[in-house]
């Protein structure tokens, strides 16, 4: 794992500690609908139905999203069990996270 990708996961942990991260499918959907979500992080292991549900919602409500990492990696990053979907609620953290992904040369979708 390259340095920027490692920093991406560390920033997710920071967002959790700062109270700027929402986990769980229903809570993330609510954050998207209420426009609180600034960036949605979806696991590469998400089921096709979950992936479609979240990408469609993000497109409809004009919320950025990325598809990255395993459920376990996302869960470890935020200090919880495996997680399929995370929603970042802070614009500054969103920009930092996207910058880390662009620097890591990982494909950013959304």
């Amino acid at each position: 794992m390259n340095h920027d990708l490692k920093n991406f996961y560390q920033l997710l942990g920071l967002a959790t500690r700062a109270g700027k991260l929402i986990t769980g499918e229903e809570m993330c959907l609510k954050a998207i609908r209420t426009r609180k979500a600034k960036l949605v992080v979806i696991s590469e292991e998400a089921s096709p139905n979950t992936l479609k549900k979240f990408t469609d919602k993000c497109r409809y409500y004009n919320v950025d999203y990325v598809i990255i990492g395993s459920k376990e990696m996302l869960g470890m990053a935020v200090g919880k069990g495996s997680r399929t979907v995370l929603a970042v609620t802070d614009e500054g953290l969103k920009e930092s996270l996207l910058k880390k992904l662009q620097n890591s040369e990982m494909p950013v979708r959304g």
Side-chain angles (χ1 to χ4, degrees), residues 10-68:
Q10 288 174 340
L11 270 175
L12 285 177
L14 179 70
T16 303
R17 291 187 296 281
K20 304 292 184 185
L21 191 98
I22 296 171
T23 66
E25 288 188 28
E26 290 306 313
M27 296 297 287
C28 287
L29 279 174
K30 183 178 177 185
I32 294 167
R33 285 189 200 109
T34 59
R35 303 190 192 281
K36 287 182 182 171
K38 307 299 180 202
L39 175 69
V40 176
V41 181
I42 307 168
S43 168
E44 293 170 345
E45 298 173 345
S47 71
N49 287 343
T50 300
L51 186 63
K52 181 176 179 355
K53 177 176 25 173
F54 278 94
T55 55
D56 287 353
K57 284 281 185 221
C58 286
R59 285 187 195 114
Y60 182 81
Y61 288 99
N62 201 23
V63 174
D64 290 328
Y65 68 91
V66 293
I67 301 168
I68 187 171

Side-chain angles (χ1 to χ4, degrees), residues 3 19 26 41 46 52-53 59 66 70 84 90 95 102 108 110:
H3 184 69
E26 290 306 313
V41 181
K52 181 176 179 355
K53 177 176 25 173
R59 285 187 195 114
V66 293
S70 66
T84 305
D90 183 79
E95 294 301 325
Q102 288 168 345
V108 177

